[in-house]
Amino acid sequence: MDTANPREQCEGARDHIADDRKVEARDTLSGILEHSPDYVEARLALGVLMGGEGDTEPARRHLRFAMDQIALNPSIGSETLRAQVLVNLCAMALEQDDYADVLAWEDVFGEMNDALSRQGLRERAASLLFDAGGRAIQADRPDHGRRLYMRAIELEPTFSEAWYNIAVIASEEQSLPEAKEALRRAIDADHGFADAHFLLGTLLLAESTEEAAECMRTAVEMKPDNPRWVTMTGSAYARLRQFAHAREWFRRSLAMDDEQADAHLGYAVACRALGDLGAARGSLQRAFELNPALATQIQGMMAEAE
């Protein structure tokens, strides 16, 4: 084999791949690397070829070697090559459920933000980071998930699902200002994102019940078949002392699912406030049947409804 011109040999291997002559391509690329092991273009082509044939682990080794070479010397290869190595390496890592390998390259994603955009790979890269973030959450590493979601947002600032997931992590950590800001960003990116509207509503209940009720109402308009959402919206209107609205929301929820003790209890509160004591007593009795743990609260309300 002529080893004096690995570039031409690599181009020949790509022609073999295009003609579906993969065995010849693999042999050519392997031959190049025997004599020029640092030839990044051949590493990339062989890694992608092997990955497509299911040889994921050796493919990842080739791509990781190429990425290490690029990290040591960013002038190696073209911008297109560097972007392709990064994206293919991380895609193969996720095929093996190895989000940590994607996390290891998160800084490189940041450094290559503009290059990925110019190469038309920004959306795919953001999707890979988002997917890796989900794997991190499944592995009970929300700190890693947050980092990966933030990198995804750096690439795609209007990535509403990434903003939402950051909000969920922040809310679970009781970082409520961060959670609410992330939800507002998710809604700005996608106003039809019902889950973001509803979660924002739940987080606003303590400080701005009117805005919370509006957020919940908007969410239910988008996804009307969720009885829990409808019940919680009724509770928000009850907190506002808008009992006629609250009663209608509870009635609507119970029409979907009559087994909700808290919806019956809320309906009773609204009916009592509106002077309908008979309906209040009936709903309190049903709430007790569904959840005897509410006995003390229900007994007090029953006495008031006598």
Side-chain angles (χ1 to χ4, degrees):
M1 179 182 291
D2 178 11
T3 61
N5 196 338
R7 182 178 296 277
E8 287 187 5
Q9 293 175 39
C10 197
E11 288 298 325
R14 291 194 183 99
D15 290 339
H16 290 328
I17 294 171
D19 293 337
D20 202 28
R21 295 162 58 194
K22 295 179 181 177
V23 174
E24 292 95 325
R26 191 164 178 160
D27 290 344
T28 300
L29 293 166
S30 297
I32 294 170
L33 293 174
E34 285 181 14
H35 298 280
S36 303
D38 295 341
Y39 195 67
V40 174
E41 287 86 347
R43 290 278 181 185
L44 170 63
L46 185 56
V48 172
L49 177 60
M50 295 177 76
E53 294 179 335
D55 293 336
T56 306
E57 191 53 45
R60 287 178 65 189
R61 285 198 296 270
H62 283 297
L63 292 175
R64 192 178 291 112
F65 182 93
M67 202 66 227
D68 286 339
Q69 292 298 107
I70 291 169
L72 290 171
N73 184 0
S75 65
I76 290 177
S78 64
E79 177 181 274
T80 301
L81 175 70
R82 296 194 296 274
Q84 288 177 344
V85 171
L86 178 63
V87 167
N88 280 283
L89 174 60
C90 291
M92 289 183 189
L94 291 178
E95 286 178 9
Q96 295 190 313
D97 205 26
D98 184 5
Y99 86 84
D101 204 29
V102 182
L103 184 68
W105 299 105
E106 63 154 328
D107 289 339
V108 179
F109 277 102
E111 294 163 5
M112 294 184 64
N113 190 330
D114 292 339
L116 290 164
S117 181
R118 285 191 293 268
Q119 296 304 317
L121 292 170
R122 183 178 63 186
E123 184 174 342
R124 186 181 181 204
S127 180
L128 289 170
L129 289 162
F130 179 81
D131 191 2
R135 311 288 179 91
I137 299 301
Q138 292 172 5
D140 198 25
R141 290 304 305 265
D143 53 333
H144 290 171
R146 186 199 300 265
R147 285 165 55 186
L148 289 158
Y149 291 139
M150 289 302 299
R151 285 295 182 190
I153 287 167
E154 286 181 16
L155 290 169
E156 288 285 351
T158 59
F159 201 153
S160 58
E161 291 89 347
W163 281 116
Y164 179 81
N165 287 1
I166 288 169
V168 171
I169 294 169
S171 65
E172 290 175 350
E173 295 174 349
Q174 297 301 306
S175 300
L176 299 188
E178 179 189 359
K180 286 180 281 192
E181 175 59 25
L183 288 167
R184 294 187 193 281
R185 296 292 295 270
I187 292 167
D188 286 344
D190 178 6
H191 188 72
F193 197 164
D195 292 79
H197 283 283
F198 194 82
L199 181 55
L200 180 58
T202 64
L203 298 182
L204 288 170
L205 272 173
E207 66 184 68
S208 179
T209 308
E210 187 171 355
E211 185 181 0
E214 179 62 21
C215 289
M216 292 178 177
R217 183 192 63 77
T218 299
V220 172
E221 285 180 356
M222 296 172 183
K223 293 174 69 172
D225 298 326
N226 188 325
R228 296 304 307 149
W229 283 16
V230 178
T231 294
M232 292 180 70
T233 305
S235 297
Y237 281 109
R239 291 180 65 158
L240 290 169
R241 305 190 67 78
Q242 296 182 23
F243 293 111
H245 282 307
R247 181 169 62 177
E248 291 308 309
W249 281 94
F250 289 126
R251 181 179 289 148
R252 175 179 170 183
S253 179
L254 290 168
M256 289 188 281
D257 179 5
D258 188 57
E259 302 294 312
Q260 303 174 83
D262 56 341
H264 281 285
L265 190 61
Y267 184 76
V269 169
C271 287
R272 186 186 64 177
L274 294 169
D276 189 350
L277 301 185
R281 284 193 295 271
S283 208
L284 286 171
Q285 180 61 41
R286 180 63 175 146
F288 175 74
E289 292 170 359
L290 290 168
N291 187 358
L294 296 172
T296 301
Q297 183 178 356
I298 290 172
Q299 285 171 358
M301 293 178 65
M302 288 283 279
E304 293 176 11
E306 292 298 332

